Amino acid sequence: MQWIDIGANLTHESFDRDRTAVIARARSHDVQQLIVTGASVIGSSAALELAISHPGELFATAGVHPHYASHLTAAELPELRQLLQQPQVVAAGECGLDYYRDLSPRAAQLRAFEWQLQLAAESGKPVFLHQREAHQDFVAVLRDYRSRLRGAVAHCFTAGQQELEDYLALELSIGITGWLCDERRGGHLRTLLPRIPADRLMLETDAPYLLPRDLVPKPRSRRNEPMFLPHVAAAVAAARGETLQQCAAYTCANARAFFALPPMALPETAPPATPG
Ligand SMILES: [Zn+2]
């Protein structure tokens, strides 16, 4: 089996000491391709560098998270545009609206969101979306841009049935994280999962955030890692009444098509000896 983690914040400082080991552990748990989330202009450059140093295995997104929207100025758009032209950058974002934390003023969030949808449309690359407690505005903005976007994924979907139906109507893909594994707040997601068409579902850890709560044993650091993606997948497969193999097959196919990922390179093997 193979897995693809479509959202891992591997440039996060909590990985500074052991990033290479984290990537190796992911690989040994069959998580063979990872998309490193860019959440700021600097963070997106760092994500790109990381992707360049792991060709075929790591990819990056380039964008500014709504938390940092007030830092994004028009003067920085050419840099974002340039990042989006790099082959290792496979999506625009993470971008969107977050009225739950409201860390940037809403007007700044809306402006940064529209700028990035515009850049995504120009680049021909899909967009990696974040939304929390901002559904109405989010959907209203997206409706204006959707026909110009190659693809769009609502990352870390945690909302309810109405939101899901609105997203599906907008032809969004849905990213599912270990939020599902939280017995206190993930229950509604288990009932919604069977409503997601198999060709729209992708998996992500959102590491280092959202360590699955039912993981045994839990790492002492409480840090989430891409190697726990199969644990999330097992919860997804159980909620949908599928085998793990079925879940791996279609979620990988979706991620490869959505982000236009190359097929996973086979491990180097010695060429067969030619008969004497
Ligand atoms: Zn997010």
Side-chain angles (χ1 to χ4, degrees):
M1 262 182 292
Q2 288 187 3
W3 302 100
I4 298 175
D5 186 348
I6 68 152
N9 301 278
L10 284 187
T11 61
H12 190 274
E13 60 186 10
S14 66
F15 294 120
D16 283 352
R17 275 189 312 113
D18 61 348
R19 193 168 282 109
T20 306
V22 166
I23 295 165
R25 277 199 290 274
R27 202 184 295 131
S28 69
H29 286 75
D30 300 321
V31 182
Q32 296 189 323
Q33 289 176 316
L34 295 102
I35 298 175
V36 183
T37 310
S40 64
V41 177
I42 291 179
S44 299
S45 308
L48 170 62
E49 266 180 53
L50 198 57
I52 288 172
S53 61
H54 295 80
E57 188 175 19
L58 264 53
F59 303 87
T61 71
V64 177
H65 192 284
H67 289 347
Y68 313 122
S70 58
H71 302 306
L72 181 63
T73 63
E76 282 177 305
L77 297 182
E79 194 176 341
L80 263 188
R81 180 179 287 119
Q82 241 242 310
L83 283 168
L84 279 166
Q85 287 164 358
Q86 306 310 307
Q88 297 86 356
V89 173
V90 294
E94 153 170 26
C95 63
L97 301 173
D98 193 314
Y99 296 173
Y100 176 69
R101 304 278 299 275
D102 265 334
L103 294 186
S104 278
R106 293 181 181 185
Q109 292 192 38
L110 284 160
R111 184 184 60 184
F113 186 26
E114 292 213 42
W115 275 343
Q116 293 180 81
L117 291 175
Q118 184 65 47
L119 289 178
E122 270 175 39
S123 72
K125 292 183 179 174
V127 62
F128 188 85
L129 298 165
H130 173 106
Q131 187 278 120
R132 216 166 159 203
E133 311 262 312
H135 183 69
Q136 297 307 330
D137 284 0
F138 179 78
V139 162
V141 172
L142 261 183
R143 265 194 201 111
D144 284 345
Y145 287 87
R146 183 62 188 93
S147 64
R148 285 181 279 154
L149 299 169
R150 197 189 88 200
V153 58
H155 119 90
C156 192
F157 180 82
T158 58
Q161 184 172 342
Q162 186 57 55
E163 287 89 346
L164 179 62
E165 279 167 16
D166 290 347
Y167 288 177
L168 293 176
L170 272 168
E171 294 187 29
L172 302 198
S173 295
I174 308 292
I176 296 291
T177 61
W179 189 285
L180 178 67
C181 307
D182 185 332
E183 77 286 356
R184 301 161 311 164
R185 46 183 200 174
H188 72 290
L189 275 183
R190 282 189 284 278
T191 61
L192 287 180
L193 264 160
R195 293 175 175 270
I196 304 174
D199 62 354
R200 300 279 194 90
L201 205 163
M202 295 188 277
L203 302 175
E204 47 173 331
T205 56
D206 207 20
Y209 314 112
L210 299 179
L211 180 72
R213 268 181 61 88
D214 58 354
L215 201 64
V216 183
K218 278 196 187 56
R220 257 198 316 174
S221 65
R222 293 288 189 265
R223 183 185 69 176
N224 196 8
E225 283 190 30
M227 71 164 165
F228 299 131
L229 192 73
H231 180 88
V232 175
V236 168
R240 291 169 60 85
E242 304 161 345
T243 65
L244 209 52
Q245 283 81 358
Q246 287 170 322
C247 184
Y250 73 77
T251 55
C252 278
N254 293 344
R256 288 223 166 87
F258 184 91
F259 295 102
L261 304 182
M264 193 50 214
L266 292 168
E268 299 257 335
T269 46
T274 39

